[in-house]
Amino acid sequence: MTAPLRWPLHPPPSDGEALSSWLTRIAAAHHIGLEELLANNLGDYTLDVVDNADIDVDPPVPLLVALQERTGFHRGELRRMTVAGHMPWLLDTLEPFDGPDSFTTYTRQHQVLIARPDRPLPPTHGWRAWLPRVPLYRACRACATEPHPVPGLTLLHYLPITLTCRRHGCYLEVIHRSVDTRILWVDGAAESRPAPPAVQAMDARTHDALTDGIVQLPRRPVHAGIWFRLLRTIIDELSTPIIHSRRHSHTLSRIWASIDQPPRGGQLPWRPFESLAWPAQQLHLEAAAATIAMLEDGSIESAGVHGALFRTEPHHPISDGRTSTPETRSVSTTTQPIDRWKATADNLNEVIALARSDPAEAEKLYQFLSLRPNRDHETRQLLTDLGITDYPSSHNPDSNRSRTIE
């Protein structure tokens, strides 16, 4: 058997670059198109790009294996260039759900503007957090006009979760697609538009969440998984019909008015954010940025318990020991069930992150999950789905099965 041939040219991916963008640049370096690169240059494996538009969402494992052989980049690194590589932080699962449970779990376990999350829930057929029903393609005009443009498009360019380019602070603009290193703009005559500071601040936190896993909020740092859910909660609260927002409707109206928009951005029937057209999604993200800025400067009050995360810790004077101190207000130390679940989720996310980069830690996780009888195949598939593919037992697929039979 001969080793698979490496592609002669495979420039490294840029920071946060999406898998499709990187492959497009590799194809351009060889003076061929992306379709030809994946259809005729992966050995026995071929991929029809036209029939696999979700290459940046959940690419097939055989494709990642073939790309690892031809580029030298580990398939775990390649998976991190897709949405699947950011589970369960960015979203709980890639499986679309028809029932309300997954929607309420993601968007209403926190409360920021509205205290009670028991608002009516219309149907959410096929809902998946942050994944638009229609693919979104955007690029930065400032990046494209630099003397040495950065042609790489990041994963955030394809998701309706940010509005701006992190490097230049201007709005990302909608494009048809990128061909080779050329950007095909929908409005080719438009110029770069600077974004307000509030929008840039919100997007900077989202970028930190995706790249560092931690977001700094005024009260304390929070895990990336919490930030993504807090942001989605604010968007859900902003879209609450007035009849259900009750005493919070004035606050919601003030937020929308601050960006010169009517309540709910003018939306009539309620639909999940992911089902809205991009212009409507853009308005909701603008309103979310305004909400965070108004919470932080005290312009509005938060009725939800998690709104305090956007305020600095109140000053607590410390006695000098020479004077009697008034009875100290008791600090609640009651541990609520939801806090324990959050701690469990945070710990699990840290273990997964370690396992992705350390085969020894990955092996420990594999052995722990394999304690369940006759679940070896499911365990291996689960680890693969989480982007954990390199651990000692992964090189011996029959090891655990043989031990079970004996």
Side-chain angles (χ1 to χ4, degrees), residues 34-205:
L34 177 61
E35 293 81 1
E36 184 179 357
L37 179 76
L38 301 183
N40 304 320
N41 295 279
L42 291 175
D44 295 333
Y45 183 76
T46 61
L47 181 74
D48 188 335
V49 178
V50 177
D51 293 336
N52 291 273
D54 287 347
I55 189 173
D56 290 322
V57 176
D58 189 16
V61 172
L63 171 63
L64 298 179
V65 173
L67 292 175
Q68 175 180 310
E69 293 173 347
R70 269 127 186 104
T71 65
F73 288 92
H74 193 274
R75 56 184 184 271
E77 297 178 85
L78 302 178
R79 190 176 175 83
R80 288 280 295 172
M81 301 169 71
T82 70
V83 172
H86 294 276
M87 288 196 311
W89 299 353
L90 180 59
L91 68 174
D92 296 326
T93 176
L94 287 172
E95 293 296 326
F97 282 88
D98 293 336
D101 291 346
S102 60
F103 181 86
T104 54
T105 299
Y106 193 95
T107 67
R108 296 183 180 178
Q109 64 175 305
H110 299 92
Q111 296 100 47
V112 178
L113 295 171
I114 299 177
R116 296 174 60 84
D118 55 349
R119 303 181 295 277
L121 182 64
T124 54
H125 177 70
W127 180 82
R128 295 186 298 180
W130 300 115
L131 295 183
R133 294 292 178 90
V134 178
L136 175 66
Y137 304 105
R138 298 177 298 167
C140 169
R141 291 188 183 279
C143 288
T145 56
E146 285 185 334
H148 302 285
V150 179
L153 302 180
T154 70
L155 196 59
L156 290 177
H157 284 69
Y158 299 144
L159 297 176
I161 193 172
T162 60
L163 290 166
T164 61
C165 167
R166 178 67 185 275
R167 295 179 58 219
H168 297 97
C170 58
Y171 283 100
L172 297 173
E173 305 294 348
V174 178
I175 63 175
H176 292 294
R177 287 300 296 266
S178 63
V179 178
D180 300 336
T181 56
R182 293 176 291 115
I183 303 297
L184 304 181
W185 303 97
V186 171
D187 185 356
E191 297 183 353
S192 177
R193 299 179 296 141
V199 172
Q200 295 184 44
M202 179 185 72
D203 286 354
R205 285 168 171 162

Side-chain angles (χ1 to χ4, degrees), residues 205-220:
R205 285 168 171 162
T206 300
H207 185 275
D208 291 344
L210 206 66
T211 56
D212 302 332
I214 294 292
V215 174
Q216 296 291 335
L217 295 183
R219 180 62 58 91
R220 60 177 174 83

Side-chain angles (χ1 to χ4, degrees), residues 287-355:
T291 299
I292 295 171
M294 295 171 78
L295 285 172
E296 291 183 350
D297 67 16
S299 300
I300 58 173
E301 296 292 334
S302 59
V305 294
H306 297 99
L309 290 170
F310 297 96
R311 300 281 180 82
T312 56
E313 182 74 25
H315 174 65
H316 299 291
I318 300 176
S319 171
D320 59 5
R322 294 175 297 180
T323 57
S324 59
T325 57
E327 183 177 355
T328 304
R329 181 181 300 174
S330 62
V331 178
S332 175
T333 57
T334 303
T335 303
Q336 300 178 5
I338 189 172
D339 293 330
R340 289 195 292 271
W341 279 111
K342 287 179 180 177
T344 301
D346 290 347
N347 290 334
L348 179 59
N349 288 332
E350 291 180 6
V351 169
I352 292 172
L354 285 173

